Amino acid sequence: MKNAIGRDIPAHISGINNIRLYEGAGVYKPEKSGAGKKLRVGKPHTNKILQSIDEAIEKTGLKDGQTISFHHHLRNGDYVMKMVVERIAAKGIKNITIAASSLSPCHDFLIDYIKDGTVTALESSGLRGQLGKYLTRHPEALQKPTIIRSHGGRARAIEAGELHIDVAFMAAPTCDRQGNATGRIGKSAFGSMGYAMIDAAYADNVVLITDNLVDEPVHPYSIPQTQVDYIVPVEEIGDPAGIASGAIRITKSPTQLLIAKYAAEVMEKTGILKEGFSMQLGSGGASLAAAKFIREKMEAQNITGSFGIGGVTGIFSEMLKDGLFKACYDAQTFDTTAVQSLAENPNHIEISASFYANPWNAGPIVNDLDVVILSATEVDLDFNVNVITDSNGVCMGASGGHSDTAAGAALTIIVMPLIRGRLPMIRDHVQNVVTPGNDVDVIITERGIAINPKRTDLIEKLSNSGLPIMKIEKLQQMAYDFVGKPDEVQLSDADKDIVAVVEYRDGSILDVIRKPLV
Amino acid sequence: MTKILAKSAKAGFEEKNDLVVEVSPLQNGSGVVIDLQSPVKNQYGRHIEALIKDTVTAEGFFDVQVNVLDKGAWDYTIKARTIAALERGMKQ
């Protein structure tokens, strides 16, 4: 069956229930109420503090076939998933689904527990590192394809009852003895707990794992005590070097800087860069570097923005501090400068993944974005974007907030080099679609800028701007003139070789990731 | 005129967008034998092997083992490194 972007989706995919094809942004309208939290009776003067992860597994009654969840705010420094999965395996519990908000290379250890049958299904925003390679090569290692969701899509799936979590094991950098938790302080501070908030609000059992249990009440808290069943103190929840980088610096690459400069000029010449505008910058060299040029233009023209959303870096929190924006909404905090800003600046506002991007609530903040600048691993002539698989079809990335922000923003700009190494980044058809071309307006490379033909208004505004505007086909040909046209990587069309299912943010199926035949 | 390599020789660096080409003499009648390692082998493997074979033959060599460690080099680099390795291999 072909969906609205022409991707061939099997009518039945083993282990995936209720397949609904992608029909376009906002087309499907849910007519039901969402999930609720299981009721519980908190007894007076109960001690929630447990001695060990083992005790938490026993108290929650975790058993074969259940779903456990983790957030990824500790990024590549996360110790918590490993300490929990090791103990689950030691107890002989099998057939567990791990629903993580994302996975990093530090989660490569999961391969061992997939092989021994402890873990038999994954749901995540991303698949990377050795785990991504392993599952791409051996889709049969899991009982069903991995479900890839955007950040907003995951919040939606939990709130809609499509992703039911039996036990949420949530890393908490600081919490009090009642379970009020924050990520702002503590030796493993990571900033916003935006993804964890949803798990804590909906899971049947919530276990906090902390390396900073304090006696005094924690306030402001990101997770309230009303949602927390148990607390397990441990030595360390993560490796500080992997949790948050030091202040992220603007790239020195001339190519990236040129792309970033074009992005700021496109914003200016389309009239988006005006008093009260809002923006989000994705991670990636060129999108972050755009901040430098946007800032110069804002200061020169005396423009104050309304708000920014993140994925917040020090680059943005400095703009907030300097009064260039009124507020900053933060679902995930990237570097130490931004963590400090969240702790100190009242205009730096912590939000949940649902507030950020859930398409099934009355107003996720992405819906109010004027502009978003995003990276891509590759794009195609239909403006579709891939950020999940590399040019050989191997899972190496994450959906993140890509499709969420692209759908919400009035102007969606993709920044990427025309060629990486020898590989042209404008394909006839991307290997896998994470963000549909309908939500993408402008693709900027160092050698030219392509505008989605549907945006005739932008074409008109930019045609005499002095910017190197051209048809996407011409831009693709320019790359071919340098490096030649690449052969296509052959993919298996067997249904057993489906590695992952890419959900659009509304839960419909946008694409399936198939095993490459190489 | 058929040229014959005097010894094995290398050119290039193991750097992004570059490649290391190592050529060695083979017995008469062996032909041009290419061993290619490349991150873009799926996309450009056939093209790179043809380019190297054409370059080696155009330089007048017919029996050469060519070991290539590619790091995403473009055609002009592949050609230049191949010629350089062959020329070095001609010197005693």
Short mmCIF file of all heavy atoms in Angstrom, two decimals, chain A residues 391-392 419 421-424 482-484 486-487 489 518, chain B residues 17 39-40 42-44 46-48 72-75 78:
data_model
loop_
_atom_site.label_atom_id
_atom_site.label_comp_id
_atom_site.label_asym_id
_atom_site.label_seq_id
_atom_site.Cartn_x
_atom_site.Cartn_y
_atom_site.Cartn_z
N SER A 391 23.98 6.77 4.18
CA SER A 391 23.88 6.52 2.74
C SER A 391 23.93 5.03 2.40
O SER A 391 23.60 4.63 1.29
CB SER A 391 24.98 7.25 2.00
OG SER A 391 24.85 8.64 2.24
N ASN A 392 24.37 4.20 3.35
CA ASN A 392 24.37 2.75 3.14
C ASN A 392 23.15 2.08 3.75
O ASN A 392 23.08 0.86 3.82
CB ASN A 392 25.66 2.14 3.69
CG ASN A 392 26.85 2.50 2.83
OD1 ASN A 392 26.79 2.42 1.61
ND2 ASN A 392 27.92 2.95 3.45
N ILE A 419 27.64 17.92 -0.80
CA ILE A 419 28.34 16.64 -0.92
C ILE A 419 29.03 16.36 0.41
O ILE A 419 29.64 17.25 0.98
CB ILE A 419 29.40 16.71 -2.04
CG1 ILE A 419 28.74 17.02 -3.38
CG2 ILE A 419 30.21 15.41 -2.12
CD1 ILE A 419 29.72 17.44 -4.47
N GLY A 421 31.96 13.93 1.88
CA GLY A 421 32.96 13.01 1.37
C GLY A 421 32.84 12.99 -0.14
O GLY A 421 33.10 13.98 -0.81
N ARG A 422 32.35 11.87 -0.69
CA ARG A 422 32.07 11.82 -2.12
C ARG A 422 30.57 11.73 -2.39
O ARG A 422 30.14 11.69 -3.55
CB ARG A 422 32.80 10.61 -2.72
CG ARG A 422 32.61 10.51 -4.19
CD ARG A 422 33.34 9.41 -4.87
NE ARG A 422 33.07 9.61 -6.30
CZ ARG A 422 33.90 9.31 -7.26
NH1 ARG A 422 35.06 8.77 -6.99
NH2 ARG A 422 33.58 9.55 -8.51
N LEU A 423 29.78 11.67 -1.36
CA LEU A 423 28.36 11.36 -1.56
C LEU A 423 27.49 12.60 -1.75
O LEU A 423 27.44 13.46 -0.87
CB LEU A 423 27.85 10.54 -0.38
CG LEU A 423 28.49 9.16 -0.23
CD1 LEU A 423 28.14 8.56 1.13
CD2 LEU A 423 28.05 8.23 -1.35
N PRO A 424 26.76 12.67 -2.87
CA PRO A 424 25.83 13.78 -3.07
C PRO A 424 24.65 13.64 -2.10
O PRO A 424 24.13 12.53 -1.92
CB PRO A 424 25.36 13.62 -4.51
CG PRO A 424 26.14 12.50 -5.10
CD PRO A 424 26.73 11.71 -3.98
N PHE A 482 30.40 17.06 -10.14
CA PHE A 482 31.64 16.92 -9.37
C PHE A 482 32.01 15.46 -9.13
O PHE A 482 33.16 15.08 -9.28
CB PHE A 482 31.51 17.60 -8.00
CG PHE A 482 31.54 19.10 -8.06
CD1 PHE A 482 30.47 19.84 -7.60
CD2 PHE A 482 32.66 19.77 -8.53
CE1 PHE A 482 30.49 21.22 -7.64
CE2 PHE A 482 32.70 21.15 -8.58
CZ PHE A 482 31.60 21.89 -8.13
N VAL A 483 31.06 14.66 -8.70
CA VAL A 483 31.39 13.32 -8.18
C VAL A 483 30.72 12.17 -8.91
O VAL A 483 30.98 11.01 -8.60
CB VAL A 483 31.07 13.22 -6.67
CG1 VAL A 483 31.95 14.17 -5.87
CG2 VAL A 483 29.59 13.47 -6.40
N GLY A 484 29.88 12.48 -9.87
CA GLY A 484 29.17 11.42 -10.58
C GLY A 484 27.93 10.97 -9.83
O GLY A 484 27.75 11.27 -8.65
N PRO A 486 25.72 8.37 -7.94
CA PRO A 486 25.99 7.14 -7.19
C PRO A 486 25.05 6.00 -7.59
O PRO A 486 23.91 6.25 -7.98
CB PRO A 486 25.73 7.54 -5.74
CG PRO A 486 24.76 8.68 -5.82
CD PRO A 486 25.02 9.39 -7.12
N ASP A 487 25.55 4.75 -7.48
CA ASP A 487 24.67 3.60 -7.62
C ASP A 487 23.74 3.54 -6.40
O ASP A 487 24.10 3.97 -5.32
CB ASP A 487 25.49 2.29 -7.68
CG ASP A 487 26.30 2.20 -8.97
OD1 ASP A 487 25.92 2.84 -9.96
OD2 ASP A 487 27.32 1.48 -8.96
N VAL A 489 21.85 1.84 -3.29
CA VAL A 489 22.06 0.71 -2.39
C VAL A 489 20.82 -0.18 -2.48
O VAL A 489 19.69 0.31 -2.41
CB VAL A 489 22.25 1.21 -0.94
CG1 VAL A 489 22.26 0.06 0.04
CG2 VAL A 489 23.55 2.00 -0.84
N VAL A 518 23.89 -5.66 1.39
CA VAL A 518 25.31 -5.44 1.08
C VAL A 518 26.18 -6.29 1.97
O VAL A 518 25.78 -6.67 3.05
CB VAL A 518 25.71 -3.95 1.24
CG1 VAL A 518 25.13 -3.14 0.12
CG2 VAL A 518 25.29 -3.40 2.59
N ASN B 17 38.66 12.47 1.98
CA ASN B 17 38.71 12.94 0.59
C ASN B 17 40.02 12.61 -0.13
O ASN B 17 40.30 13.13 -1.19
CB ASN B 17 38.42 14.45 0.47
CG ASN B 17 36.94 14.74 0.60
OD1 ASN B 17 36.52 15.52 1.43
ND2 ASN B 17 36.12 14.06 -0.19
N PRO B 39 34.63 3.66 1.73
CA PRO B 39 33.34 3.88 2.41
C PRO B 39 32.21 4.10 1.40
O PRO B 39 31.03 4.03 1.77
CB PRO B 39 33.58 5.13 3.25
CG PRO B 39 34.72 5.85 2.58
CD PRO B 39 35.57 4.77 1.95
N VAL B 40 32.55 4.39 0.15
CA VAL B 40 31.51 4.61 -0.86
C VAL B 40 31.50 3.48 -1.89
O VAL B 40 31.07 3.66 -3.03
CB VAL B 40 31.66 5.99 -1.55
CG1 VAL B 40 31.46 7.11 -0.54
CG2 VAL B 40 33.02 6.14 -2.22
N ASN B 42 29.65 0.86 -2.15
CA ASN B 42 28.31 0.52 -2.66
C ASN B 42 27.85 1.49 -3.74
O ASN B 42 27.14 1.12 -4.65
CB ASN B 42 27.29 0.57 -1.51
CG ASN B 42 27.54 -0.52 -0.50
OD1 ASN B 42 27.94 -1.61 -0.86
ND2 ASN B 42 27.32 -0.21 0.78
N GLN B 43 28.25 2.76 -3.59
CA GLN B 43 27.76 3.79 -4.51
C GLN B 43 28.70 4.00 -5.71
O GLN B 43 28.25 4.32 -6.80
CB GLN B 43 27.58 5.11 -3.77
CG GLN B 43 26.49 5.13 -2.71
CD GLN B 43 26.91 4.55 -1.37
OE1 GLN B 43 28.07 4.16 -1.18
NE2 GLN B 43 25.98 4.50 -0.42
N TYR B 44 30.03 3.88 -5.47
CA TYR B 44 30.99 4.22 -6.52
C TYR B 44 32.04 3.14 -6.77
O TYR B 44 33.01 3.39 -7.48
CB TYR B 44 31.69 5.54 -6.16
CG TYR B 44 30.79 6.74 -6.20
CD1 TYR B 44 30.24 7.28 -5.04
CD2 TYR B 44 30.47 7.34 -7.43
CE1 TYR B 44 29.41 8.39 -5.09
CE2 TYR B 44 29.64 8.44 -7.48
CZ TYR B 44 29.11 8.97 -6.31
OH TYR B 44 28.29 10.05 -6.36
N ARG B 46 32.16 0.32 -8.57
CA ARG B 46 32.36 -0.04 -9.98
C ARG B 46 33.06 1.08 -10.73
O ARG B 46 33.98 0.86 -11.52
CB ARG B 46 31.01 -0.30 -10.65
CG ARG B 46 30.31 -1.58 -10.17
CD ARG B 46 29.04 -1.81 -10.97
NE ARG B 46 28.16 -0.64 -10.94
CZ ARG B 46 27.32 -0.31 -11.92
NH1 ARG B 46 27.24 -1.05 -13.01
NH2 ARG B 46 26.55 0.75 -11.82
N HIS B 47 32.62 2.31 -10.46
CA HIS B 47 33.18 3.48 -11.13
C HIS B 47 34.66 3.65 -10.79
O HIS B 47 35.48 3.89 -11.68
CB HIS B 47 32.38 4.72 -10.72
CG HIS B 47 33.02 6.00 -11.15
ND1 HIS B 47 32.85 6.53 -12.41
CD2 HIS B 47 33.88 6.83 -10.50
CE1 HIS B 47 33.56 7.63 -12.51
NE2 HIS B 47 34.20 7.85 -11.37
N ILE B 48 35.01 3.53 -9.51
CA ILE B 48 36.40 3.75 -9.08
C ILE B 48 37.30 2.67 -9.68
O ILE B 48 38.39 2.97 -10.18
CB ILE B 48 36.49 3.76 -7.53
CG1 ILE B 48 35.77 4.99 -6.97
CG2 ILE B 48 37.96 3.77 -7.08
CD1 ILE B 48 35.63 4.99 -5.45
N GLY B 72 36.94 8.37 0.37
CA GLY B 72 35.95 9.27 -0.26
C GLY B 72 36.58 10.27 -1.22
O GLY B 72 36.07 11.38 -1.38
N ALA B 73 37.69 9.89 -1.87
CA ALA B 73 38.36 10.81 -2.81
C ALA B 73 37.52 11.01 -4.06
O ALA B 73 36.75 10.13 -4.45
CB ALA B 73 39.73 10.23 -3.18
N TRP B 74 37.69 12.17 -4.68
CA TRP B 74 37.03 12.44 -5.96
C TRP B 74 37.94 11.96 -7.09
O TRP B 74 39.12 11.68 -6.88
CB TRP B 74 36.75 13.94 -6.09
CG TRP B 74 35.75 14.45 -5.08
CD1 TRP B 74 35.31 13.81 -3.96
CD2 TRP B 74 35.10 15.72 -5.10
NE1 TRP B 74 34.40 14.60 -3.28
CE2 TRP B 74 34.25 15.79 -3.96
CE3 TRP B 74 35.12 16.82 -5.96
CZ2 TRP B 74 33.46 16.89 -3.67
CZ3 TRP B 74 34.33 17.93 -5.68
CH2 TRP B 74 33.51 17.95 -4.54
N ASP B 75 37.40 11.94 -8.31
CA ASP B 75 38.10 11.31 -9.44
C ASP B 75 39.51 11.87 -9.69
O ASP B 75 40.44 11.12 -9.93
CB ASP B 75 37.27 11.44 -10.72
CG ASP B 75 36.13 10.43 -10.74
OD1 ASP B 75 36.02 9.64 -9.77
OD2 ASP B 75 35.35 10.43 -11.71
N ILE B 78 41.95 10.42 -7.28
CA ILE B 78 42.17 8.99 -7.53
C ILE B 78 43.15 8.81 -8.70
O ILE B 78 44.11 8.06 -8.63
CB ILE B 78 40.82 8.28 -7.83
CG1 ILE B 78 39.91 8.35 -6.61
CG2 ILE B 78 41.07 6.83 -8.28
CD1 ILE B 78 38.48 7.89 -6.85
#
